[in-house]
Amino acid sequence: MRSRQRMFAAVMRLLLKCLRLGRRRRFKLVRQVEQLWHYGHLCLRSLLYNSFTNGDVVLDSLFEPVYWLVDHVTRWFGVVFVALVIGLTSSIVAIVYICLLPLILQTYTPAWICWHLAYGHWNLIMIVFHYYMAITTSPGHPPQAKNDLTGVSICRKCIAPKPARTHHCSICNRCVLKMDHHCPWLNNCVGHYNHRYFFSFCLFMTMGCIYCSISGWEMFRDAYAAIERMKLLEKERLQVAANQTYYQTPPPTFSFRQRAFHKSVVYLWVLCSSVALALGALTLWHAALITRGETSIERHINRKERQRLQKKGKVFRNPYSYGSWDNWKVFLGVDVPRHWLTRVLLPSPHLPHGTGLNWDLPPCVMEQRAPLLAI
């Protein structure tokens, strides 16, 4: 009996000893993991610490893979976007010529027919001309040599002189003179030499879409009602055919040509109205920038500069703004009154003022303004 008690006590002591040993090992392992964690954290902070690092730098670093993905996707899909613009525009023009123009010639008065033909073809010519020029015209790039370039900085990516208002495009991988943005619908940058073509294309495309939406409103209502009537009659026809034999099935109520006509009118109105809203908002945005003498990139730069100087009690002044009216004259290249007709209302391949390397006072500006950043 005593031998059994001794054996049981020995087993219990051995078990308690094993438990204490396991607990010590666990505590030792936890301490080692904690030490390794603190050591790794200290090494990481010692390698990455920078006194200039703030929340903006960290956010930009986190979004860097997103920027890289957008840049590469935009570069490869530019051709697809251009083909999409050409395809959609061509489909609208084809519908107008095949479906709407014969109806206009049959129902409208001669005066309205002349107005539609004149305005429609003029608008189409302006759209095609400015889109072609915006795609094929280079936005302008600064020379790689430093000859005759005064007051320039150095691009951190190109390691080359960068004149005023010039910015680096990560998609084109080049510096662009007076860069506004990279447009995937053009597969090209919008810069000094094609900024006017881009804005004119947006303006005339918006005008064309509004013209089609307003002119085709009554046709759209009739076509939509006809499509709803076709769906109802088709449903009734199928219900009747279900109770009859194959040879007693009634013929279709509407022909294929009628269905295609009504659906084409609905497609035209919906597409033109959607583009008019989206592109119209973009056109108004760029019109406001042109009125202030800014580009899309300069707006953000000037806003930060305005806030910085405001804290110091100073007033920011844009050195490239000559007043609302003169800004439009400089942008459109209007030097004399007749240019409003020959250069604005008619297709014109004239070059903008200046070379994009320096920004002297244009000849169309009547009053010179002091090019001061702050007063």
Side-chain angles (χ1 to χ4, degrees):
M1 187 69 179
R2 291 181 178 178
S3 62
R4 290 183 180 178
Q5 292 178 352
R6 291 175 182 175
M7 186 179 298
F8 180 75
V11 171
M12 293 299 296
R13 286 195 297 270
L14 181 62
L15 181 60
L16 292 175
K17 189 177 181 180
C18 291
L19 289 176
R20 293 194 195 98
L21 183 61
R23 187 179 303 173
R24 291 176 183 174
R25 287 182 178 178
R26 285 199 303 272
F27 289 157
K28 186 177 181 181
L29 181 62
V30 170
R31 286 196 299 270
Q32 289 178 352
V33 172
E34 187 177 358
Q35 290 176 358
L36 288 175
W37 167 258
H38 288 298
Y39 179 74
H41 184 66
L42 180 62
C43 291
L44 186 65
R45 291 196 62 182
S46 63
L47 292 173
L48 302 180
Y49 177 76
N50 191 333
S51 59
F52 296 100
T53 302
N54 52 24
D56 294 336
V57 176
V58 174
L59 190 63
D60 290 341
S61 301
L62 293 176
F63 275 90
E64 191 65 29
V66 180
Y67 297 149
W68 181 89
L69 181 63
V70 171
D71 291 344
H72 286 72
V73 168
T74 306
R75 182 183 304 174
W76 287 107
F77 276 83
V79 179
V80 178
F81 291 153
V82 171
L84 186 62
V85 171
I86 296 175
L88 293 177
T89 306
S90 301
S91 66
I92 295 298
V93 174
I95 292 173
V96 170
Y97 273 102
I98 296 174
C99 299
L100 302 186
L101 187 59
L103 189 61
I104 291 175
L105 295 176
Q106 293 175 5
T107 57
Y108 283 29
T109 61
W112 276 109
I113 291 175
C114 293
W115 187 87
H116 280 290
L117 290 177
Y119 178 81
H121 286 89
W122 169 78
N123 203 342
L124 178 61
I125 291 172
M126 297 298 284
I127 291 173
V128 173
F129 171 78
H130 287 102
Y131 189 66
Y132 174 78
M133 295 299 293
I135 292 175
T136 57
T137 302
S138 173
H141 306 284
Q144 298 298 316
K146 297 184 179 180
N147 299 333
D148 300 330
L149 289 180
T150 58
V152 300
S153 60
I154 301 298
C155 179
R156 293 179 298 176
K157 297 183 179 180
C158 295
I159 315 299
K162 187 172 71 172
R165 310 187 79 179
T166 299
H167 300 279
H168 186 88
C169 177
S170 58
I171 299 176
C172 299
N173 199 24
R174 296 187 66 180
C175 282
V176 178
L177 299 176
K178 192 192 170 186
M179 179 179 176
D180 188 90
H181 69 286
H182 184 94
C183 182
W185 300 101
L186 301 179
N187 195 28
N188 195 7
C189 269
V190 177
H192 179 62
Y193 289 103
N194 64 347
H195 194 182
R196 179 178 65 89
Y197 297 131
F198 164 77
F199 177 78
S200 298
F201 163 72
C202 293
L203 176 63
F204 289 113
M205 178 63 82
T206 303
M207 292 171 57
C209 291
I210 294 174
Y211 163 73
C212 291
S213 299
I214 295 176
S215 301
W217 169 245
E218 294 295 335
M219 298 180 186
F220 165 74
R221 292 177 56 184
D222 296 339
Y224 187 79
I227 290 176
E228 292 297 323
R229 190 165 59 253
M230 280 190 289
K231 292 180 180 179
L232 182 60
L233 293 176
E234 183 70 18
K235 184 178 179 180
E236 293 178 355
R237 189 181 67 87
L238 292 177
Q239 291 177 354
V240 173
N243 300 325
Q244 297 175 349
T245 61
Y246 176 78
Y247 297 102
Q248 294 174 335
T249 302
T253 308
F254 292 89
S255 63
F256 172 79
R257 184 173 182 177
Q258 291 174 327
R259 294 170 182 269
F261 174 82
H262 295 311
K263 292 181 179 180
S264 298
V265 172
V266 172
Y267 163 78
L268 179 143
W269 192 88
V270 171
L271 180 60
C272 289
S273 301
S274 303
V275 173
L277 291 175
L279 194 59
L282 179 65
T283 304
L284 292 176
W285 163 256
H286 280 278
L289 293 177
I290 295 169
T291 304
R292 295 195 296 261
E294 297 176 336
T295 61
S296 299
I297 298 177
E298 290 173 351
R299 177 188 176 275
H300 299 285
I301 297 175
N302 294 345
R303 180 166 56 88
K304 292 182 178 179
E305 187 68 13
R306 187 178 295 107
Q307 294 174 354
R308 184 183 70 85
L309 294 176
Q310 187 178 4
K311 295 178 180 178
K312 297 182 178 181
K314 298 182 179 180
V315 179
F316 174 81
R317 177 179 294 173
N318 184 8
Y320 309 112
S321 177
Y322 310 103
S324 301
W325 182 248
D326 288 336
N327 287 337
W328 278 101
K329 291 171 64 177
V330 172
F331 178 78
L332 298 174
V334 176
D335 298 329
V336 293
R338 70 171 182 273
H339 286 167
W340 290 104
L341 173 63
T342 59
R343 292 187 173 184
V344 179
L345 298 180
L346 294 177
S348 176
H350 66 277
L351 296 177
H353 289 293
T355 61
L357 303 177
N358 51 64
W359 300 97
D360 299 330
L361 188 69
C364 60
V365 177
M366 301 301 297
E367 179 184 355
Q368 184 174 1
R369 288 167 171 79
L372 300 177
L373 285 176
I375 57 175

